[in-house]
Amino acid sequence: MRNWKRYISLILIAAMFSSFATFAAAAENGSGDEEQIPPSGLNYDQYPALKDVYDGYFMVGTVGPLTGSRSDLIRYNFNAYTPENEMKPQSVQNVKGQFTFDNLDNLFSNVTSLSSDIHLIGHTLAWHSQTPGWMWDAPAFDRDTALDNLKTHIDTVLRKYGGELYSIDVVNEAVGRANPNDWQASLDKGEGWALALGPDWVELAFQEAAKIIDENGWDCKLYYNDFGLDDPAKAQTVYAMVKDINERNAGLRPNGKPLIEGIGMQEHYNSNTKPENVEASIQLFSTLPDVNISITELDMEWPNLGTLTSEQAVAQAQKYAQFFQIYKKYAAGPANTTDNPKVIERVTFWGTNDGDSWKKDGLPLLFNAPDGSNITAKEALVAVLDPDAYLANNPITDDPDQGQTKHIDGVYVYDTSKGDSWSGANIILGNNAAAWPWSTGGADGKAAFTPEKNAKYRISVNLTSLGTNSIRIRWLKDESNGSYTAADNAEVNNHPYSADQVATAFPAYFNSGMSTGNSYTLVNEITLDGSQPADGLIGNIAIRGGAGGNSFSINWIKVEKIGTGGMPDQLLVNWPDGVPKAGTEGVHIYSTTKGDDWSGANIILGNNANAWPWSTAGADGKVAFIPEKNAAYRVAVNYTSMGTSAIRVRWLKNESNGSYTAADNAEVNNHPYSASQVAAAIPAYFNSGMVNAGTYTLTTEITMDGSQPADGLIGNIAVRGGAGGSSFVINWIKIEKIGTGGAPDQLLVNWPEGIDEPVVEPEEPSVVIPPAGQTYDKYPALKDIYKDYFTMGIFGSGENNALLYNFAAYTPGNEMKPESTQNVKGVFTFDGADNAFNNLAGKNPDMIFYGHTLAWHSQTPTWMWDAPPARYDQPGNYDKETALNNLKSHIDNVLEHYGGRLAGIDVVNEAIGTANPNDWEASLAKGKAGTRRLARSGLRKRLRKRPE
């Protein structure tokens, strides 16, 4: 025993020497870095100013209110300012001929009073949104009237402010469905100026703006501003538009100025935005002669549950750092010494802090919401101030699956707008060129489905035309872009159809009824009888563009085996979502965090408004389950609050967001419950016991006896937010039919996991495992099931009889931790663990015991490492000899007491901090600001003097 204890002590001594050496080295290495940017969390004025850091590269701008400390933050950090809403058409001329400039005048006056070097940016003159409809003469849309309104508005606003502005967004967000081959068609958004003036409206707006600016000799740059310019197709469309307009208006303006002088990339980004796409767009725009670029509305939404975790904060900061590396590479100022085009003259954040952001739930900016007079920095600010250093210290680990569409076996979809060399799809039916259907798969050899001879199939393809006006569905030999079968090549154009027809032959040529910018579902139904020879009308299914080539995007693909003899159709392929598992159909989940208009769920119980339960389904007609009369059901909804403090479970007539039954509306708030209660009625109003960022399972148990009338307390089940609206996320939903007469409960709905088909595997005759839901003693004991594999143990306390029945080993959860056995120095208390061991050993003499733990940074009194009185970052001596004596004494006494009855013990628990495989010793330095702690403790000096 003594040898064992001595051996353990030596191990810990070695580890301690390594840890102290690591602290000392870190202290020496960090002592001279006076220019280092402070860590996040301090007030904004504790950091270098953004405008100073990027002086010589580009202006750094913002938007937002000037109240309180926000004004000081703007004065300190920014040298450009854009009015967020005050200059939009409805703000300055909501009523025709009545210009109201007071708010904008006051705003500009207040901004310029902050600092004389703040550049004013105008936003915006012409837009389809936040513009009164009379401007484009709705609903008549008379061209002359609309054009006169457009010119009058531009003239009046620019004559007042043109001389004060550095630049202005003349036109905002004109491009709809992007088509690089026809930018003018891309302006047909079906709304606003395009309806009255057609695609000319953008050019007309810039011509009028240029006339006013040039007549007065002002130097206000004219910008086109748009979102989503990281999308290659949209960037190419904007490029084509600006290039064409500028070339046709060359010579119109003095000094060789182009009509459009700048492209504003809004850059409302998120965790899935790809920096390489943004850089590609900047490179593309930089080829336009004399056209600058500004980043005009930058923010970065991040998924969260009310606050960013430390990992999320770093990930958001990494993304910001990546973008600012790119911005610096293409900065217009003299500080950019690279050979890259120098085009970016401004980067504007769309807000000063998360609390004021239009996307505040996504926590998208560099500063936290104001707290009194303080506005503190997020990790993102640290990254933006020095992106290279930040990424060097926080390297990005590539996730090849991030932002990718879920892989569907045997389905390959290509899209030029996403960087592929062609657009279309291959659906693999076989992987053996020597056997029917005579085709081979991709590299993984996976088939989408295996066709049955004499079965009939329906192939549906939904796509959006970006210029392509015909589509072919063909037979392909492999997973290439051109190896069609000989028979297919012979008949490729022989079977024409319009987009609204159901094709009955392959190859099918859908060559009419399609136009650019619209979406279509093309359907083909065929029977494969097995007689088709190799290189015949069989193989893999190929979807290709006809006229217009690759200018289309596939949205979804479905392949169904058509049922016969009353059997339903069977879904075989469903790209990109995958084939729904049992228990998920008829469940519709919505979340504002994923772009939906509201958060909640609809669970469909019927699809016939004229029969009980008097409700209808969604477009797919799917029902989650068919309720039985006089059956009891348990509805459990697990959700996470992001602000919502109440949830309602209600009766709904259909799959909408508001058609509740009349009886539900009458009783909607009559049945309040706390989150921990089981509701016994629907509608149920869970309106207490919930807080922001908490996760809760809300349970309702009801019986539907079939007597409920139409528009009564029956229908589909709706889950909705109460107080807090849509600020919540549903994690899972389960619905069970409650068993009676000893029958187990039956799981009917299990979203999103689904209900697996039972897998029948051979069982050992002696082992019969009952279904879930029974008491522990109805099942084989875990320790017996795994006795030939390993010892089955339990950590911590549990129900005593269940513990003894199932487990062969026991480890105390807390009773042996240092604060439990020696909270006061020299006073050892072993009663807790003794009682647990003796109790279990008295009932099972063969019980095996393990110990946990001797040395840990947590649940350990701080005097052990000589650090009174508080645990971390408080004054203390951290005397090595004192701490080492305490450690050895604790180990000796605990092992002296327990060592003889333990099969093993956790000597050290959780020593590794930030993992570094190249330097495990440095990985033991877990203490926050360990070098500071050493400095305070006086150990730094002593460690430096200690010989190696």
Side-chain angles (χ1 to χ4, degrees):
M1 175 55 63
R2 284 292 177 188
N3 289 337
W4 186 24
K5 290 187 291 184
R6 189 174 296 110
Y7 179 68
I8 291 173
S9 298
L10 288 172
I11 292 174
L12 288 172
I13 291 168
M16 178 174 282
F17 269 118
S18 172
S19 182
F20 275 113
T22 300
F23 286 154
E28 290 182 332
N29 292 338
S31 59
D33 190 7
E34 297 179 358
E35 301 300 321
Q36 188 175 6
I37 294 171
S40 61
L42 304 179
N43 202 49
Y44 69 86
D45 55 4
Q46 301 303 301
Y47 302 87
L50 286 164
K51 64 183 180 183
D52 296 334
V53 169
Y54 287 98
D55 183 35
Y57 288 94
F58 40 69
M59 294 177 282
V60 183
T62 191
V63 303
L66 304 179
T67 54
S69 53
R70 297 169 181 83
S71 294
D72 294 329
L73 183 147
I74 292 171
R75 178 192 298 112
Y76 183 82
N77 273 298
F78 301 104
N79 54 12
Y81 184 89
T82 305
E84 188 170 9
N85 292 295
E86 292 84 353
M87 202 177 200
K88 290 173 181 173
Q90 73 176 18
S91 297
V92 296
Q93 195 193 182
N94 197 42
V95 177
K96 186 171 183 175
Q98 296 182 17
F99 288 87
T100 53
F101 293 127
D102 290 350
N103 290 340
L104 187 55
D105 285 342
N106 292 335
L107 179 66
F108 278 166
S109 175
N110 291 335
V111 170
T112 54
S113 69
L114 295 177
S115 172
S116 60
D117 66 354
I118 290 184
H119 298 278
L120 298 179
I121 312 298
H123 176 77
T124 178
L125 294 173
W127 190 22
H128 68 274
S129 183
Q130 291 184 250
T131 300
W134 63 259
M135 282 201 174
W136 42 76
D137 192 43
F141 299 105
D142 178 72
R143 177 179 176 82
D144 291 339
T145 303
L147 182 57
D148 183 67
N149 292 338
L150 177 67
K151 289 182 175 182
T152 299
H153 184 79
I154 292 173
D155 287 4
T156 306
V157 175
L158 280 185
R159 289 188 189 281
K160 180 170 177 60
Y161 296 108
E164 302 177 42
L165 301 177
Y166 178 87
S167 66
I168 188 166
D169 300 332
V170 177
V171 172
N172 195 47
E173 301 176 0
V175 173
R177 180 75 65 178
N179 179 4
N181 297 319
D182 189 349
W183 69 262
Q184 291 177 315
S186 302
L187 303 188
D188 185 9
K189 299 180 73 171
E191 57 188 348
W193 295 109
L195 291 174
L197 301 177
D200 297 335
W201 79 270
V202 172
E203 187 171 359
L204 292 167
F206 275 98
Q207 288 173 341
E208 190 66 23
K211 184 185 76 171
I212 304 303
I213 295 298
D214 296 338
E215 282 179 356
N216 289 277
W218 294 327
D219 191 23
C220 171
K221 292 187 178 181
L222 306 182
Y223 263 76
Y224 174 76
N225 190 53
D226 214 333
F227 66 92
L229 296 182
D230 57 314
D231 176 77
K234 190 164 186 178
Q236 291 160 12
T237 302
V238 170
Y239 167 85
M241 178 183 72
V242 174
K243 182 175 185 292
D244 187 32
I245 290 176
N246 280 352
E247 287 177 351
R248 286 188 292 101
N249 288 272
L252 178 69
R253 305 188 64 191
N255 303 318
K257 286 184 180 181
L259 182 60
I260 301 175
E261 298 174 87
I263 295 175
M265 301 176 66
Q266 290 185 11
E267 302 207 358
H268 296 296
Y269 289 155
N270 56 51
S271 60
N272 291 321
T273 305
K274 295 181 178 179
E276 59 268 27
N277 288 359
V278 175
E279 184 168 13
S281 296
I282 292 171
Q283 291 172 337
L284 175 66
F285 296 148
S286 71
T287 64
L288 292 166
D290 301 314
V291 173
N292 284 115
I293 298 170
S294 286
I295 311 303
T296 56
E297 302 182 20
L298 179 61
D299 49 30
M300 187 89 61
E301 280 188 292
W302 217 259
N304 67 90
L305 295 177
T307 58
L308 295 177
T309 66
S310 57
E311 292 81 6
Q312 290 170 331
V314 169
Q316 185 189 51
Q318 289 170 325
K319 188 79 81 172
Y320 262 119
Q322 287 179 291
F323 286 118
F324 270 81
Q325 283 182 324
I326 294 169
Y327 301 156
K328 289 177 69 176
K329 285 171 61 177
Y330 300 93
N336 179 6
T337 58
T338 71
D339 294 329
N340 297 310
K342 297 173 175 57
V343 289
I344 297 179
E345 60 178 359
R346 171 171 57 93
V347 176
T348 287
F349 293 89
W350 207 244
T352 59
N353 66 85
D354 286 345
D356 294 332
S357 169
W358 73 304
K359 294 188 173 184
K360 62 183 178 181
D361 290 340
L363 305 175
L365 295 168
L366 305 187
F367 298 94
N368 294 304
D371 182 11
S373 62
N374 293 327
I375 303 179
T376 55
K378 296 168 58 181
E379 195 75 11
L381 176 70
V382 179
V384 167
L385 289 173
D386 194 345
D388 293 339
Y390 192 85
L391 291 176
N393 293 326
N394 300 274
I396 295 172
T397 302
D398 290 333
D399 179 3
D401 295 327
Q402 184 175 9
Q404 300 296 312
T405 300
K406 180 171 65 176
H407 176 71
I408 305 297
D409 283 348
V411 181
Y412 299 87
V413 178
Y414 302 92
D415 194 327
T416 55
S417 70
K418 297 180 180 178
D420 298 322
S421 59
W422 57 284
S423 293
N426 293 336
I427 305 167
I428 309 301
L429 272 59
N431 195 26
N432 184 351
W436 190 86
W438 321 107
S439 60
T440 57
D444 61 3
K446 300 288 188 181
F449 69 100
T450 302
E452 300 175 24
K453 297 178 181 180
N454 295 311
K456 189 174 183 179
Y457 296 92
R458 179 184 300 112
I459 297 96
S460 303
V461 180
N462 181 274
L463 59 90
T464 299
S465 170
L466 302 173
T468 296
N469 55 25
S470 64
I471 294 290
R472 293 183 174 97
I473 301 182
R474 309 186 60 178
W475 290 119
L476 188 71
K477 296 177 182 179
D478 50 28
E479 210 287 293
S480 70
N481 186 25
S483 296
Y484 307 109
T485 69
D488 178 278
N489 278 318
E491 296 195 27
V492 65
N493 294 325
N494 289 358
H495 306 285
Y497 298 92
S498 71
D500 58 355
Q501 287 181 292
V502 176
T504 56
F506 265 32
Y509 188 23
F510 293 92
N511 65 346
S512 62
M514 288 179 278
S515 61
T516 299
N518 293 311
S519 296
Y520 304 91
T521 299
L522 309 180
V523 180
N524 195 307
E525 294 183 357
I526 58 166
T527 299
L528 305 176
D529 62 11
S531 66
Q532 300 85 2
D535 216 20
L537 294 180
I538 193 64
N540 297 327
I541 299 171
I543 302 164
R544 299 294 188 272
N550 292 308
S551 298
F552 69 100
S553 292
I554 293 176
N555 304 314
W556 56 258
I557 298 171
K558 289 180 168 57
V559 179
E560 300 162 284
K561 179 185 174 184
I562 299 175
T564 58
M567 295 295 293
D569 298 341
Q570 180 185 1
L571 183 62
L572 303 174
V573 174
N574 187 31
W575 183 91
D577 295 329
V579 177
K581 295 181 69 174
T584 62
E585 291 189 321
V587 180
H588 303 268
I589 307 295
Y590 301 90
S591 176
T592 56
T593 64
K594 296 182 179 179
D596 297 322
D597 294 331
W598 55 284
S599 293
N602 293 336
I603 304 161
I604 308 301
L605 273 59
N607 195 23
N608 185 349
N610 297 314
W612 190 87
W614 319 109
S615 60
T616 56
D620 61 4
K622 300 292 186 180
V623 172
F625 71 100
I626 299 173
E628 300 175 25
K629 297 178 180 180
N630 296 312
Y633 295 91
R634 179 182 301 112
V635 181
V637 179
N638 180 276
Y639 87 101
T640 299
S641 170
M642 299 173 66
T644 295
S645 58
I647 294 288
R648 293 184 174 96
V649 181
R650 307 187 61 177
W651 291 119
L652 187 72
K653 296 178 184 179
N654 49 34
E655 212 288 293
S656 69
N657 185 24
S659 295
Y660 307 108
T661 69
D664 178 279
N665 278 318
E667 296 195 25
V668 64
N669 294 324
N670 290 359
H671 307 286
Y673 298 93
S674 73
S676 60
Q677 289 181 292
V678 176
I682 294 181
Y685 187 24
F686 294 93
N687 65 345
S688 63
M690 292 170 276
V691 297
N692 185 32
T695 297
Y696 306 92
T697 299
L698 309 179
T699 304
T700 303
E701 294 184 358
I702 57 166
T703 299
M704 293 178 272
D705 62 11
S707 65
Q708 300 85 0
D711 218 19
L713 295 180
I714 194 63
N716 298 328
I717 298 173
V719 181
R720 298 292 187 273
S726 288
S727 298
F728 68 99
V729 174
I730 293 177
N731 303 313
W732 55 256
I733 295 174
K734 296 184 194 300
I735 299 181
E736 299 163 287
K737 179 185 174 185
I738 300 173
T740 59
D745 299 340
Q746 179 186 2
L747 183 62
L748 304 173
V749 172
N750 187 26
W751 183 92
E753 297 298 326
I755 301 172
D756 291 324
E757 295 293 332
V759 178
V760 179
E761 295 181 352
E763 299 179 354
E764 296 182 13
S766 59
V767 178
V768 178
I769 300 176
Q774 302 187 39
T775 57
Y776 68 88
D777 56 351
K778 297 295 191 296
Y779 301 86
L782 289 168
K783 64 184 179 184
D784 295 332
I785 293 291
Y786 290 99
K787 65 182 179 181
D788 295 328
Y789 296 90
F790 42 74
T791 301
M792 181 64 74
I794 189 170
F795 179 90
S797 60
E799 199 277 331
N800 204 264
N801 291 328
L803 186 158
L804 290 163
Y805 180 83
N806 274 299
F807 300 102
Y810 172 81
T811 305
N814 293 299
E815 293 85 350
M816 283 187 73
K817 291 173 181 173
E819 72 179 7
S820 298
T821 54
Q822 194 192 181
N823 197 41
V824 177
K825 187 171 184 176
V827 180
F828 289 86
T829 52
F830 299 125
D831 292 347
D834 281 345
N835 291 337
F837 288 160
N838 293 336
N839 173 52
L840 294 172
K843 297 176 180 178
N844 179 10
D846 297 323
M847 182 69 73
I848 301 169
F849 298 106
Y850 289 85
H852 175 80
T853 179
L854 293 174
W856 191 20
H857 68 276
S858 183
Q859 290 183 250
T860 300
T862 56
W863 61 259
M864 281 200 176
W865 45 74
D866 192 43
R871 183 160 288 172
Y872 302 119
D873 296 313
Q874 295 293 328
N877 295 319
Y878 297 96
D879 181 76
K880 177 180 174 63
E881 293 181 0
T882 303
L884 182 57
N885 286 334
N886 292 340
L887 178 66
K888 293 169 69 174
S889 173
H890 184 77
I891 292 172
D892 286 357
N893 279 276
V894 174
L895 288 183
E896 184 73 30
H897 186 83
Y898 290 113
R901 74 188 307 174
L902 300 178
I905 189 168
D906 300 331
V907 178
V908 175
N909 194 50
E910 302 176 357
I912 301 295
T914 301
N916 181 356
N918 298 318
D919 190 349
W920 69 266
E921 293 175 314
S923 301
L924 303 184
K926 293 183 71 171
K928 179 182 177 184
T931 57
R932 299 179 205 161
R933 188 189 306 165
L934 284 170
R936 288 196 297 269
S937 68
L939 280 176
R940 178 187 290 178
K941 181 177 180 181
R942 288 197 289 275
L943 282 170
R944 284 178 175 168
K945 291 182 177 180
R946 187 175 290 117
E948 295 294 319

